[in-house]
Amino acid sequence: GENVEQHPSTLSVQEGDSAVIKCTYSDSASNYFPWYKQELGKRPQLIIDIRSNVGEKKDQRIAVTLNKTAKHFSLHITETQPEDSAVYFCAATGLDTGRRALTFGSGTRLQVQP
Amino acid sequence: GAVVSQHPSRVICKSGTSVKIECRSLDFQATTMFWYRQFPKKSLMLMATSNEGSKATYEQGVEKDKFLINHASLTLSTLTVTSAHPEDSSFYICSAYPGAGQGNYGYTFGSGTRLTVV
């Protein structure tokens, strides 16, 4: 089955700085890689996703890059703000019929210092 | 967008009792529903995959007789924690993928259920 590793486990940055979180996956059949933001006691919220047919995707301050050959993908948050503080999870799956569950990374606790 | 409604949001039960958690897809048909468990400060761990009209598929190490899953319709999946013990206390969350022809909203999550067994 799929195995997703995520680093770092905690990340503290100053407001305005950039934050980068990295994930690797093991299953070459995986083709869908979403990133979620989760606040305490809440459901994960999709912040950006990427499919294996592209190498990069950007949405305002958030970007994701994918290297299929190396089986790793990264989340980049620029101009961080205190409200970006949360736990971020990467995930991977094969998006065919939607019958395959997401496999999550271990999570990164991001703290943005004002 | 696609919405999954999960109830209850919080439940406290006594050891030995059973608790049922419901997840409903409100505006799409969820052929498949995924059930996750999340311990404090940990990641989401897949417990089982629930398929409408058939038996659920459980992940290794998850007791199917303890965590009963029923997916009787395209919009409702339930997880029953039977004979609950304090170690079953956790955050349970469901997820579904709307699938082709039902929008492109990615995997949608329920709001989660905080179970505390005393």
Side-chain angles (χ1 to χ4, degrees):
Chain A
E2 177 63 275
N3 181 51
V4 178
E5 296 194 357
Q6 181 172 347
H7 300 279
S9 57
T10 60
L11 180 59
S12 182
V13 299
Q14 290 294 125
E15 182 177 359
D17 287 350
S18 295
V20 179
I21 303 171
K22 298 182 178 182
C23 288
T24 60
Y25 62 100
S26 62
D27 190 348
S28 57
S30 288
N31 58 10
Y32 177 63
F33 309 94
W35 285 88
Y36 293 90
K37 176 183 181 181
Q38 188 181 32
E39 297 178 352
L40 190 63
K42 304 292 186 182
R43 77 184 85 194
Q45 296 281 358
L46 177 70
I47 57 171
I48 197 167
D49 57 11
I50 191 168
R51 304 193 183 209
S52 59
N53 57 346
V54 296
E56 185 174 358
K57 184 176 178 180
K58 190 174 181 180
D59 183 4
Q60 298 182 23
R61 297 186 298 110
I62 296 172
V64 56
T65 58
L66 171 65
N67 183 325
K68 285 174 53 180
T69 303
K71 294 195 185 74
H72 66 70
F73 56 113
S74 301
L75 176 71
H76 304 253
I77 305 174
T78 59
E79 300 171 30
T80 54
Q81 301 165 3
E83 50 265 38
D84 293 329
S85 297
V87 179
Y88 291 80
F89 291 98
C90 61
T93 191
L95 195 63
D96 38 33
T97 63
R99 292 179 181 269
R100 287 179 60 176
L102 291 167
T103 298
F104 286 86
S106 52
T108 296
R109 185 170 299 277
L110 173 65
Q111 188 161 13
V112 181
Q113 308 284 356
Chain B
V3 176
V4 173
S5 175
Q6 182 170 348
H7 295 280
S9 58
R10 290 177 180 273
V11 58
I12 300 173
C13 71
K14 293 184 178 181
S15 288
T17 61
S18 296
V19 173
K20 180 184 282 189
I21 301 169
E22 290 189 354
C23 275
R24 294 180 183 272
S25 55
L26 298 185
D27 48 4
F28 67 97
Q29 295 182 335
T31 307
T32 303
M33 191 80 78
F34 307 103
W35 288 93
Y36 292 87
R37 181 175 183 175
Q38 186 176 30
F39 290 108
K41 298 185 178 182
K42 297 294 183 183
S43 187
L44 288 82
M45 299 302 297
L46 181 67
M47 299 175 65
T49 299
S50 162
N51 297 297
E52 185 268 336
S54 64
K55 292 183 179 180
T57 303
Y58 290 81
E59 295 300 298
Q60 190 172 10
V62 178
E63 299 175 60
K64 62 180 180 180
D65 295 329
K66 179 168 186 62
F67 299 99
L68 299 179
I69 290 173
N70 184 279
H71 196 149
S73 76
L74 285 171
T75 58
L76 174 64
S77 178
T78 61
L79 167 67
T80 301
V81 183
T82 63
S83 187
H85 291 286
E87 56 265 33
D88 298 324
S89 298
S90 188
F91 189 61
Y92 293 87
I93 192 163
C94 59
S95 174
Y97 184 74
Q102 298 192 77
N104 186 26
Y105 306 110
Y107 286 78
T108 300
F109 288 85
S111 53
T113 298
R114 172 76 56 196
L115 170 63
T116 303
V117 184
V118 297

